[in-house]
């Protein structure tokens, strides 16, 4: 029958319904309006009532189609139930992710700390350190972090771009006396009063503008103020500095500044005034603040003109360089650095290891999600039957991964906050993480990681038809090549960490155990001997040797393990200076090579001579003149002999040489001995040519050889002897072997951290592998049962299952070997002497990973070994 409804109502119905729904609604309308008079008030009331009802019904039907069972309001509840049901996979995923996120956050805090050195100065982009470079072609390194030439002080007058110019002098150490207490303070500088206009050194007490404007003023850090006086409210207090000659000078405290942050290349304990213009000369660390960062290039380009204008010697080859203050810590390894700097390669290794660890956890997470999704194809089929759209299913998988990630993130945050201070203590630093960077990384991971982990289910399962999903065809037929690639990548990252850790450990042991050319055990060094002790060197030596546990005593200018950067040009008779050979000059007592058990390849030790002490008040010119007139004998190392042109060390014995330095000369004397090349510095540096000379005024450190008795009792006896003779000077004593081992502290830290990273990575990988293997065995139970019926034994089944994982291991090795080889070879180039990368480093990694594959696999196969009849009875 033809519908009697008005066209307008039919049109409204067509907007809200189609097909069978439209016919039903039109029938309802006709039935409701049949007895109403057309165009009456009652008629229009019925029309409005039916329209509202129609709108409500269509809305509910659309909502029902869009939100099938398990979605909408119950979505979170369904996800939580699903995670609880698969609690073992949830634990593996959460533990792996949380640990890796925590470690990544900790290392990110360390990396940002290292990259943030000296960036706390608000104008750090405009602050530069001036370095001094001698002839770069010389075999001895001639690039210095400090400057010796006084005419550098004219730099601000020549370059208007220089806003501030500050000198840091008296940089070795300072002996301080407060009342009856004596202290030896390192990082105590004499500075220009404008230092607070260049560097950000916040004041706790006092005023930056006036603190160092008056002579004999001193500014302390809070820690040093409390150390000396028990409080940081010390304005007006006085302390005394003790010179090498024993003279006292009184300083008044005019300011207290906050402790210098850990991430500064310039540690400061106290600052004193430069009291006269005469004192404002000599060696100094010099910092300038420019009008703009770009001015550095202008000054560098015009620096040769400045040198030509002001250098006393117009033919000088010296050069001054501008070094950004924020680049010093990771990129500067010049002679006489204020403190030991780190290397950018070490930071990159830490960062790379943490990224590898995080990637392994993410891949592990994605792998477990992918195998779990295979078991949920029927679930997805049912959701599709109930009307679930692809959009809602994608949201479902993403939200599940997101909730799991958030749980991991919360646990990681708890571990991060708990362990940050312990990591700082291990590294000897106070780590202050970059909160904004950490937040940005966290938010990025909150989006990326759940998206990656839900990528496979959304791409594979969502596209299945309802029939395929309900039949679980994907779980039966798919070989999941993507998952194999991910497993291979996971193995590759784990192997890269194992190999890198092994190479780092090998290099660390190489550094500690390499023969240095001398013995360093049972040696105590008394550092920085003051002039008052030098003048009585024979007396202190005799008193020390009287102690029953002391074998011998000697003295040296630079302790083994520290760089010798005082140089001289060796000349053969009649040779011009420009044809001479630059070498390091090491001032030693004649018995020094014997004390250190150095090997003489020819000749013997220096001749024993006695030089009279310099009269008190002798000028520098008088001292240099006397030094130049003294008769000499010389001991060289093999490197110096080769540079002088003698292939055989014996040829050099008895030959006459002399030495030239712009400040003094060494008179002609015979070469009496040749020592085998030895490592004066750390193994990062090559062996330099060295000449050994005896000159008492330049002996800076005592070396004491101990017996194998009670070392601590001997040390106490030495301290008591020193206190009775030189109470005004604190005794600065160290064991030489410990001091030399400290040269490789960064390598030790790197080795230990890589061990931790590797162990965590392997734990995460093995947990993920157990999950994958367990699921693989579960879905292949019937296949295994059929094979056993056909005669396959356990060995054959293990070989069949292991093949997939071992091929993934081969893929991982192909990725890891070239990556590790290139990166670690580059890292080893930081050392002049290093171990070689061998096949063993990669073989060990492959064996460890193969065992981690086979042992769990064999265990799982044996545990799941069931009677084939029980498995196949359902068929």
């Amino acid at each position: 029958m033809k519908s009697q409804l008005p066209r307008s109502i039919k049109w409204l119905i067509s907007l809200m319904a189609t097909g069978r729904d439209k016919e039903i609604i039109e029938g309802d309308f006709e039935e409701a309006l049949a007895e109403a008079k057309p165009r009456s008030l009652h008629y229009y009331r019925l029309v409005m009532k039916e329209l509202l009802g129609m709108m409500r019904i269509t809305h509910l039907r659309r909502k029902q189609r869009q939100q099938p069972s398990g979605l909408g309001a119950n979505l979170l509840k369904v996800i939580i139930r699903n995670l609880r049901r698969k609690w073992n996979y949830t634990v593996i995923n959460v533990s792996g992710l949380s640990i890796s996120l925590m470690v990544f956050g900790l290392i990110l805090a360390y990396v940002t700390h290292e990259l943030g050195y000296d960036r706390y100065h608000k104008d750090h982009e405009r602050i530069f350190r001036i370095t001094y470079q001698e002839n770069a072609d010389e075999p001895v390194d001639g690039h210095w972090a400090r400057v010796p030439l006084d005419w550098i002080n004219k730099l601000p007058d020549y370059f208007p771009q220089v806003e501030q110019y500050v000198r840091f002098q008296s940089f070795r150490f300072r002996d301080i006396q407060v009342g009856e207490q004596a202290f030896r303070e390192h990082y105590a500088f004499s500075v220009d009063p404008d230092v607070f206009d260049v560097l950000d050194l916040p004041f706790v007490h006092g005023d930056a503008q006036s603190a160092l404007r008056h002579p004999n003023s001193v500014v302390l850090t809070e820690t040093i103020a409390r150390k000396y006086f028990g409080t940081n409210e010390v304005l007006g207090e006085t302390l005394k500095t003790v010179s090498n000659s024993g003279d006292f000078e009184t300083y008044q405290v005019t300011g207290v500044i906050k402790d210098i942050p850990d991430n500064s290349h310039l540690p400061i304990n106290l600052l004193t005034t430069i009291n006269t213009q005469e004192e404002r000369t000599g060696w100094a660390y010099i910092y300038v603040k420019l009008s703009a960062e770009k001015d550095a290039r202008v000054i560098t380009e015009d620096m040769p003109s400045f040198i030509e204008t002001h250098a006393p010697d117009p033919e000088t080859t010296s050069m001054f360089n501008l070094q950004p203050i924020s680049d010093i810590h990771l990129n500067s390894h010049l002679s006489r650095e204020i403190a030991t700097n780190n290397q950018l390669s070490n930071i990159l290794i830490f960062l790379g290891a943490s990224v590898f660890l995080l990637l392994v956890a993410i891949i592990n997470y994605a792998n477990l999600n992918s195998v779990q999704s295979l078991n949920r194809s029927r679930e997805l089929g049912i959701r599709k039957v109930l009307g679930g759209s692809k959009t809602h299913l994608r949201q479902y998988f993403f939200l599940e991964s997101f909730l799991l990630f958030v749980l991991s993130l919360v646990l990681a945050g708890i571990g991060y906050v708990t362990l940050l201070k312990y990591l700082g203590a291990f590294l000897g630093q106070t780590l202050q993480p970059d909160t904004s960077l950490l937040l940005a990384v966290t938010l990025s991971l909150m989006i990326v990681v759940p998206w990656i982990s839900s990528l496979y289910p959304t791409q594979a399962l969502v596209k299945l038809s309802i029939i395929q999903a309900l039949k679980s065809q994907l779980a039966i037929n798919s070989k999941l090549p993507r998952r194999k690639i991910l497993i291979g990548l996971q193995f590759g990252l784990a192997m890269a960490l194992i190999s890198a850790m092994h190479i780092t450990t090998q290099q660390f042991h190489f550094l500690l155990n390499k023969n240095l050319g001398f013995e360093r055990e049972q040696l105590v060094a008394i550092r920085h001997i003051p002039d008052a002790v030098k003048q009585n060197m024979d007396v202190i030596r005799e008193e020390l040797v009287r102690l029953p546990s002391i074998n011998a005593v000697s003295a040296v200018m630079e302790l083994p393990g520290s760089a010798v950067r005082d140089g001289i040009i060796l000349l053969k008779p009649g040779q011009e200076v420009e044809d001479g050979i630059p070498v390091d000059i090491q001032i030693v007592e004649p018995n020094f090579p014997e004390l250190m058990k150095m090997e003489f390849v020819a000749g013997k030790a220096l001749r024993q001579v006695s030089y009279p002490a310099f009269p008190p008040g002798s000028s520098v010119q008088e001292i240099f003149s006397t030094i130049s007139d003294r008769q000499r004998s010389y001991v060289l190392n093999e490197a110096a002999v080769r540079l002088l042109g003698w292939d055989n060390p014996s040829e050099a014995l008895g030959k006459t040489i002399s030495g030239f330095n712009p400040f003094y000369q060494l008179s002609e004397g015979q070469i009496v001995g040749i020592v085998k090349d030895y490592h004066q510095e750390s193994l990062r540096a090559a062996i330099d040519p060295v000449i050994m000379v005896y000159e008492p005024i330049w002996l800076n450190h005592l070396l004491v050889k101990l017996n194998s008795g009670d070392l601590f009792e001997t040390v106490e006896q030495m301290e008591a002897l020193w206190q009775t003779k030189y109470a005004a000077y604190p005794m600065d004593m160290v064991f030489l072997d410990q001091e030399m081992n400290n040269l490789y502290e960064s390598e030790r830290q790197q080795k230990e951290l890589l061990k931790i990273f590797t162990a965590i990575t392997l734990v995460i990988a093995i947990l993920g592998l157990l999950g994958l293997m367990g699921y693989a065995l579960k879905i292949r139970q019937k296949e295994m049962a059929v094979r056993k019926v056909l005669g396959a034994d356990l060995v054959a089944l293990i070989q069949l299952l292991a093949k997939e994982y071992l091929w993934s291991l081969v893929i991982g090795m192909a990725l890891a070997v070239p990556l590790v080889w290139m990166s670690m070879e580059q890292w080893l180039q930081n050392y002049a002497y290093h171990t070689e990368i061998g096949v063993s480093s990669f073989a060990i990694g492959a064996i460890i990973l193969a065992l981690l594959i086979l042992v769990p696999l064999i265990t799982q196969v044996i545990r799941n070994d069931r009677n084939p009849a029980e498995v196949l009875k359902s068929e």
Side-chain angles (χ1 to χ4, degrees), residues 687-703:
I687 294 176
D688 288 330
V690 175
I691 181 172
M692 294 184 185
V693 185
Y694 174 56
E695 181 49 63
I697 195 174
W698 286 330
L699 295 171
N700 294 327
H701 315 282
L702 279 175
L703 282 168

Side-chain angles (χ1 to χ4, degrees), residues 33 37-49:
L33 299 177
K37 184 179 179 180
R39 297 181 179 85
S40 66
L41 180 61
H42 180 60
Y43 179 86
Y44 287 115
R45 284 178 179 174
L46 290 175
V47 169
M48 291 300 299
K49 180 180 177 181

Side-chain angles (χ1 to χ4, degrees), residues 529-713:
I529 303 299
D531 291 342
V533 178
K534 291 180 186 179
Q535 293 173 1
N536 299 283
M537 187 72 79
D538 292 339
V539 176
I540 189 68
R541 181 189 294 106
E542 290 174 4
E543 292 180 339
L544 286 171
V545 171
R546 287 197 194 104
L547 297 177
S549 297
I550 293 180
N551 274 338
V553 178
S554 188
V556 66
M557 181 177 69
E558 298 291 353
L559 287 173
S562 59
V564 176
R565 290 309 180 197
D566 290 310
I568 198 165
I569 296 177
L570 293 187
L571 302 172
K572 294 180 179 179
Q575 196 173 30
E576 296 296 330
V577 173
E578 54 269 19
D579 298 325
I581 303 299
V583 299
D584 286 348
I585 179 170
Q586 173 71 301
I587 307 301
V588 300
E589 284 197 318
N591 68 335
F592 171 76
E594 179 185 359
L595 182 82
M596 302 298 296
K597 303 297 183 184
M598 292 181 175
E599 180 182 348
F600 276 89
V601 295
K604 56 184 180 180
L606 293 169
R607 300 190 185 114
Q608 190 71 44
V609 294
S610 178
Y611 295 136
F614 290 98
S618 298
S619 66
V620 175
Q621 290 78 12
E622 291 173 338
I623 292 174
F624 283 158
S625 177
T626 303
I627 288 173
S628 299
D629 292 338
R630 286 176 172 173
Q631 293 184 345
R632 304 287 178 183
S633 62
Y634 303 108
V635 169
L636 306 179
N637 69 345
E638 294 174 299
V641 170
R642 288 191 295 269
L643 279 177
L644 286 169
W646 293 301
D647 295 329
N648 190 336
S650 299
E651 297 178 32
L653 287 180
K655 297 296 192 300
T656 300
I657 58 173
S658 61
F660 171 81
N661 184 286
F663 305 103
Y664 63 89
Q665 297 183 26
L666 297 179
S667 61
E668 288 191 350
Q670 286 188 337
I671 300 173
V672 297
I674 312 296
V675 295
K676 190 177 183 63
D677 281 342
Y678 69 97
H679 294 274
Q680 170 67 31
E681 304 178 44
S682 75
L683 296 177
R684 299 185 189 96
I687 294 176
D688 288 330
V690 175
I691 181 172
M692 294 184 185
V693 185
Y694 174 56
E695 181 49 63
I697 195 174
W698 286 330
L699 295 171
N700 294 327
H701 315 282
L702 279 175
L703 282 168
V704 181
K705 184 70 173 181
L706 306 181
N707 292 324
S708 57
D710 190 337
L711 299 181
F712 294 103
E713 181 181 354

